[in-house]
mmCIF file of all heavy atoms in Angstrom:
data_model
loop_
_atom_site.group_PDB
_atom_site.id
_atom_site.type_symbol
_atom_site.label_atom_id
_atom_site.label_comp_id
_atom_site.label_asym_id
_atom_site.label_seq_id
_atom_site.Cartn_x
_atom_site.Cartn_y
_atom_site.Cartn_z
ATOM 1 N N LYS A 1 310.565 280.604 178.666
ATOM 2 C CA LYS A 1 309.683 280.196 179.744
ATOM 3 C C LYS A 1 308.436 279.472 179.200
ATOM 4 O O LYS A 1 307.783 278.758 179.936
ATOM 5 C CB LYS A 1 309.226 281.442 180.523
ATOM 6 C CG LYS A 1 310.322 282.208 181.230
ATOM 7 C CD LYS A 1 309.758 283.466 181.876
ATOM 8 C CE LYS A 1 310.835 284.351 182.458
ATOM 9 N NZ LYS A 1 310.282 285.618 183.013
ATOM 10 N N HIS A 2 308.170 279.675 177.930
ATOM 11 C CA HIS A 2 306.926 279.162 177.344
ATOM 12 C C HIS A 2 307.143 278.093 176.306
ATOM 13 O O HIS A 2 306.278 277.228 176.121
ATOM 14 C CB HIS A 2 306.137 280.328 176.749
ATOM 15 C CG HIS A 2 305.956 281.460 177.665
ATOM 16 N ND1 HIS A 2 305.023 281.471 178.669
ATOM 17 C CD2 HIS A 2 306.628 282.643 177.785
ATOM 18 C CE1 HIS A 2 305.084 282.609 179.350
ATOM 19 N NE2 HIS A 2 306.061 283.347 178.842
ATOM 20 N N LEU A 3 308.277 278.123 175.594
ATOM 21 C CA LEU A 3 308.557 277.145 174.543
ATOM 22 C C LEU A 3 310.030 276.792 174.554
ATOM 23 O O LEU A 3 310.873 277.632 174.894
ATOM 24 C CB LEU A 3 308.203 277.711 173.172
ATOM 25 C CG LEU A 3 306.727 277.786 172.754
ATOM 26 C CD1 LEU A 3 306.587 278.531 171.445
ATOM 27 C CD2 LEU A 3 306.143 276.374 172.610
ATOM 28 N N PRO A 4 310.373 275.561 174.147
ATOM 29 C CA PRO A 4 311.798 275.256 173.929
ATOM 30 C C PRO A 4 312.359 276.184 172.856
ATOM 31 O O PRO A 4 311.632 276.646 171.977
ATOM 32 C CB PRO A 4 311.760 273.794 173.433
ATOM 33 C CG PRO A 4 310.456 273.256 173.894
ATOM 34 C CD PRO A 4 309.491 274.410 173.903
ATOM 35 N N LEU A 5 313.662 276.428 172.898
ATOM 36 C CA LEU A 5 314.281 277.395 171.996
ATOM 37 C C LEU A 5 315.178 276.717 170.969
ATOM 38 O O LEU A 5 315.874 275.740 171.298
ATOM 39 C CB LEU A 5 315.134 278.386 172.793
ATOM 40 C CG LEU A 5 314.371 279.272 173.813
ATOM 41 C CD1 LEU A 5 315.397 280.068 174.600
ATOM 42 C CD2 LEU A 5 313.402 280.196 173.108
ATOM 43 N N MET A 6 315.155 277.213 169.776
ATOM 44 C CA MET A 6 316.159 276.868 168.781
ATOM 45 C C MET A 6 317.252 277.938 168.880
ATOM 46 O O MET A 6 316.952 279.141 168.762
ATOM 47 C CB MET A 6 315.582 276.865 167.366
ATOM 48 C CG MET A 6 316.622 276.605 166.296
ATOM 49 S SD MET A 6 315.975 276.747 164.623
ATOM 50 C CE MET A 6 317.474 276.436 163.676
ATOM 51 N N LEU A 7 318.480 277.506 169.086
ATOM 52 C CA LEU A 7 319.576 278.448 169.315
ATOM 53 C C LEU A 7 320.642 278.394 168.249
ATOM 54 O O LEU A 7 321.663 279.102 168.377
ATOM 55 C CB LEU A 7 320.198 278.192 170.708
ATOM 56 C CG LEU A 7 319.247 278.349 171.896
ATOM 57 C CD1 LEU A 7 319.936 277.910 173.192
ATOM 58 C CD2 LEU A 7 318.742 279.774 172.018
ATOM 59 N N HIS A 8 320.451 277.588 167.216
ATOM 60 C CA HIS A 8 321.508 277.440 166.200
ATOM 61 C C HIS A 8 321.026 277.847 164.793
ATOM 62 O O HIS A 8 321.585 277.362 163.807
ATOM 63 C CB HIS A 8 322.018 276.004 166.188
ATOM 64 C CG HIS A 8 321.006 274.965 165.844
ATOM 65 N ND1 HIS A 8 320.056 274.546 166.758
ATOM 66 C CD2 HIS A 8 320.754 274.284 164.706
ATOM 67 C CE1 HIS A 8 319.285 273.632 166.215
ATOM 68 N NE2 HIS A 8 319.679 273.470 164.951
ATOM 69 N N CYS A 9 320.091 278.760 164.722
ATOM 70 C CA CYS A 9 319.544 279.183 163.428
ATOM 71 C C CYS A 9 320.651 279.866 162.601
ATOM 72 O O CYS A 9 321.419 280.690 163.113
ATOM 73 C CB CYS A 9 318.396 280.152 163.629
ATOM 74 S SG CYS A 9 317.732 280.850 162.111
ATOM 75 N N ALA A 10 320.689 279.528 161.321
ATOM 76 C CA ALA A 10 321.701 280.097 160.409
ATOM 77 C C ALA A 10 321.124 281.178 159.499
ATOM 78 O O ALA A 10 321.811 281.676 158.621
ATOM 79 C CB ALA A 10 322.322 278.996 159.556
ATOM 80 N N ARG A 11 319.856 281.568 159.734
ATOM 81 C CA ARG A 11 319.198 282.597 158.895
ATOM 82 C C ARG A 11 319.407 282.296 157.398
ATOM 83 O O ARG A 11 319.994 283.059 156.645
ATOM 84 C CB ARG A 11 319.684 284.002 159.218
ATOM 85 C CG ARG A 11 319.278 284.429 160.610
ATOM 86 C CD ARG A 11 319.360 285.921 160.812
ATOM 87 N NE ARG A 11 320.697 286.427 160.917
ATOM 88 C CZ ARG A 11 321.030 287.521 161.574
ATOM 89 N NH1 ARG A 11 320.108 288.238 162.183
ATOM 90 N NH2 ARG A 11 322.282 287.943 161.587
ATOM 91 N N CYS A 12 318.884 281.172 156.983
ATOM 92 C CA CYS A 12 319.235 280.605 155.674
ATOM 93 C C CYS A 12 318.638 281.383 154.498
ATOM 94 O O CYS A 12 317.532 281.908 154.591
ATOM 95 C CB CYS A 12 318.753 279.158 155.600
ATOM 96 S SG CYS A 12 319.556 278.074 156.790
ATOM 97 N N ARG A 13 319.354 281.374 153.404
ATOM 98 C CA ARG A 13 318.860 281.896 152.121
ATOM 99 C C ARG A 13 317.760 280.986 151.604
ATOM 100 O O ARG A 13 317.581 279.846 152.025
ATOM 101 C CB ARG A 13 320.005 281.926 151.120
ATOM 102 C CG ARG A 13 321.100 282.895 151.408
ATOM 103 C CD ARG A 13 322.342 282.590 150.536
ATOM 104 N NE ARG A 13 322.026 282.477 149.136
ATOM 105 C CZ ARG A 13 322.255 283.436 148.233
ATOM 106 N NH1 ARG A 13 322.768 284.577 148.623
ATOM 107 N NH2 ARG A 13 321.954 283.260 146.967
ATOM 108 N N ALA A 14 317.037 281.497 150.595
ATOM 109 C CA ALA A 14 315.968 280.703 149.976
ATOM 110 C C ALA A 14 316.511 279.616 149.082
ATOM 111 O O ALA A 14 315.765 278.739 148.649
ATOM 112 C CB ALA A 14 315.049 281.627 149.172
ATOM 113 N N ASP A 15 317.838 279.633 148.809
ATOM 114 C CA ASP A 15 318.463 278.587 148.003
ATOM 115 C C ASP A 15 319.557 277.860 148.794
ATOM 116 O O ASP A 15 320.473 277.272 148.193
ATOM 117 C CB ASP A 15 319.020 279.134 146.698
ATOM 118 C CG ASP A 15 320.066 280.241 146.925
ATOM 119 O OD1 ASP A 15 320.428 280.506 148.085
ATOM 120 O OD2 ASP A 15 320.542 280.817 145.934
ATOM 121 N N ALA A 16 319.470 277.907 150.120
ATOM 122 C CA ALA A 16 320.488 277.266 150.954
ATOM 123 C C ALA A 16 320.596 275.781 150.665
ATOM 124 O O ALA A 16 319.595 275.098 150.345
ATOM 125 C CB ALA A 16 320.159 277.480 152.427
ATOM 126 N N VAL A 17 321.801 275.232 150.779
ATOM 127 C CA VAL A 17 322.017 273.818 150.563
ATOM 128 C C VAL A 17 323.209 273.338 151.382
ATOM 129 O O VAL A 17 324.162 274.108 151.606
ATOM 130 C CB VAL A 17 322.236 273.494 149.050
ATOM 131 C CG1 VAL A 17 323.477 274.200 148.542
ATOM 132 C CG2 VAL A 17 322.314 272.007 148.791
ATOM 133 N N GLY A 18 323.142 272.124 151.892
ATOM 134 C CA GLY A 18 324.242 271.584 152.678
ATOM 135 C C GLY A 18 324.011 271.716 154.165
ATOM 136 O O GLY A 18 322.894 271.877 154.648
ATOM 137 N N LEU A 19 325.113 271.664 154.921
ATOM 138 C CA LEU A 19 325.027 271.784 156.382
ATOM 139 C C LEU A 19 324.693 273.232 156.750
ATOM 140 O O LEU A 19 324.999 274.170 156.011
ATOM 141 C CB LEU A 19 326.349 271.384 157.029
ATOM 142 C CG LEU A 19 326.838 269.933 156.776
ATOM 143 C CD1 LEU A 19 328.198 269.717 157.404
ATOM 144 C CD2 LEU A 19 325.828 268.941 157.301
ATOM 145 N N LEU A 20 324.061 273.410 157.908
ATOM 146 C CA LEU A 20 323.750 274.747 158.376
ATOM 147 C C LEU A 20 325.017 275.584 158.495
ATOM 148 O O LEU A 20 326.035 275.118 159.026
ATOM 149 C CB LEU A 20 323.066 274.692 159.754
ATOM 150 C CG LEU A 20 321.681 274.052 159.819
ATOM 151 C CD1 LEU A 20 321.110 274.231 161.236
ATOM 152 C CD2 LEU A 20 320.734 274.619 158.794
ATOM 153 N N GLY A 21 324.963 276.807 157.988
ATOM 154 C CA GLY A 21 326.122 277.693 158.051
ATOM 155 C C GLY A 21 327.134 277.467 156.963
ATOM 156 O O GLY A 21 328.116 278.235 156.871
ATOM 157 N N GLN A 22 326.903 276.474 156.120
ATOM 158 C CA GLN A 22 327.865 276.165 155.058
ATOM 159 C C GLN A 22 327.528 276.947 153.804
ATOM 160 O O GLN A 22 326.367 276.989 153.392
ATOM 161 C CB GLN A 22 327.795 274.645 154.755
ATOM 162 C CG GLN A 22 328.735 274.180 153.652
ATOM 163 C CD GLN A 22 328.495 272.705 153.357
ATOM 164 O OE1 GLN A 22 327.447 272.260 152.914
ATOM 165 N NE2 GLN A 22 329.525 271.895 153.623
ATOM 166 N N ALA A 23 328.513 277.585 153.210
ATOM 167 C CA ALA A 23 328.285 278.323 151.961
ATOM 168 C C ALA A 23 327.985 277.349 150.813
ATOM 169 O O ALA A 23 328.495 276.230 150.810
ATOM 170 C CB ALA A 23 329.492 279.174 151.630
ATOM 171 N N MET A 24 327.195 277.778 149.843
ATOM 172 C CA MET A 24 326.908 276.944 148.717
ATOM 173 C C MET A 24 328.154 276.749 147.869
ATOM 174 O O MET A 24 328.785 277.722 147.478
ATOM 175 C CB MET A 24 325.798 277.552 147.849
ATOM 176 C CG MET A 24 325.412 276.696 146.650
ATOM 177 S SD MET A 24 324.278 277.484 145.511
ATOM 178 C CE MET A 24 322.795 277.557 146.484
#
């Protein structure tokens, strides 16, 4: 109701790389 929402968060690691949700 107050802000647009991000709905595709992948809860990424601190060393994430590549497309969202893709394993290193």
Side-chain angles (χ1 to χ4, degrees):
K1 298 175 185 176
H2 308 281
L3 283 173
L5 297 174
M6 176 185 179
L7 299 174
H8 60 283
C9 176
R11 293 198 287 207
C12 297
R13 293 165 52 101
D15 59 4
V17 62
L19 300 176
L20 294 187
Q22 180 185 63
M24 181 187 291

